[in-house]
Amino acid sequence: MANLFPLLHALKWLMADSSQELLPVPEPPASWRASRTAARLNLPVLAALSYGPEIASLIRRAKYGPQWSAAQRLTRLAGRLSAPVWLERPCCLVPVPADPSRLVRRGFHLPGLLCQVLARRWGLGYDLSRLVKRQSSPTLASLGRQQRLSDLRGLICHAACHEPGRVASRTDEPVVLVDDVLTTGATASACVEALHLGGDRVLGLVVLARSG
């Protein structure tokens, strides 16, 4: 029964009324290719919010607390985000993979929750297991882009490569990568590379908040 606790909370949040959220949600830009991070990815990026003090505090509390209440507020914010103009239909939303040890400690994966909320709002499919992180890595928050890329090298892979014979859902549909925060773009780059190696076409990246 203890293992059901995170799932029950996640389901409760997914069904919650997002109109009760108190944080303002500004009109999101369709993309921000002009930024250095987006240019490195060579993909359109949709960000709901800037990584300001209040949002940064919520994300830290959700990821490193971990606090269910902070994660709840963030998923409600995501539930009010409009689809980007570059979105193709049909497509599949894919979250960045969870770090194995931190997933056990937190009991939930924030990008996975955001992915499910957005899929419901936009009427799309999603695949929570398309990408796999082979093993845990050190916390990346305090590292620069090059060090992050070095630490992530070989850790993130496509499920089809990690588990030969696995048939991924909706393999004929392009995918949209989903994450909570975009800073240096190192994690997103590793994920996009893994998706390409697995045969997926990546339309863009959707994040709750962007830094810079």
Side-chain angles (χ1 to χ4, degrees):
M1 290 298 292
N3 292 334
L4 293 177
F5 184 72
L7 177 59
L8 293 176
H9 273 72
L11 290 175
K12 179 181 178 181
W13 297 345
L14 291 174
M15 299 302 294
D17 180 5
S18 62
S19 65
Q20 300 301 312
E21 177 55 56
L22 299 179
L23 287 177
V25 182
E27 187 66 25
S31 68
W32 47 290
R33 277 185 176 275
S35 76
R36 291 178 61 192
T37 302
R40 288 192 188 111
L41 293 172
N42 195 31
L43 289 171
V45 179
L46 174 67
L49 303 161
S50 293
Y51 195 58
E54 189 169 14
I55 295 300
S57 176
L58 272 178
I59 292 176
R60 284 194 299 268
R61 283 156 47 197
K63 295 176 69 173
Y64 305 116
Q67 290 186 9
W68 287 101
S69 59
Q72 180 183 27
R73 296 183 71 186
L74 292 169
T75 54
R76 288 180 176 176
L77 284 172
R80 298 169 62 183
L81 182 61
S82 298
V85 295
W86 42 260
L87 189 73
E88 295 181 17
R89 296 178 183 273
C91 68
C92 180
L93 302 184
V94 175
V96 301
D99 183 277
S101 64
R102 287 190 276 278
L103 177 61
V104 172
R105 183 171 68 252
R106 293 170 187 163
F108 64 90
H109 180 45
L110 184 56
L113 293 176
L114 297 174
C115 187
Q116 293 174 74
V117 169
L118 292 173
R120 186 182 70 168
R121 174 166 174 78
W122 298 345
L124 300 171
Y126 61 89
D127 187 347
L128 301 181
S129 58
R130 183 74 60 94
L131 291 173
V132 176
K133 192 171 185 181
R134 299 176 189 268
Q135 63 187 45
S136 295
S137 63
T139 301
L140 303 176
S142 62
L143 304 178
R145 175 179 170 82
Q146 293 305 316
Q147 186 60 53
R148 293 185 188 205
L149 286 171
S150 176
D151 287 356
L152 289 171
R153 187 169 294 116
L155 290 186
I156 296 177
C157 65
H158 197 286
C161 303
H162 182 66
E163 304 173 24
R166 177 187 184 274
V167 178
S169 60
R170 295 173 288 276
T171 53
D172 59 332
E173 297 178 359
V175 304
V176 173
L177 187 65
V178 178
D179 202 357
D180 47 12
V181 180
L182 180 64
T183 51
T184 68
T187 300
S189 294
C191 290
V192 170
E193 180 180 2
L195 288 167
H196 285 163
L197 289 174
D200 286 315
R201 179 168 65 92
V202 183
L203 296 176
L205 172 66
V206 174
V207 295
L208 180 62
R210 62 177 175 84
S211 176

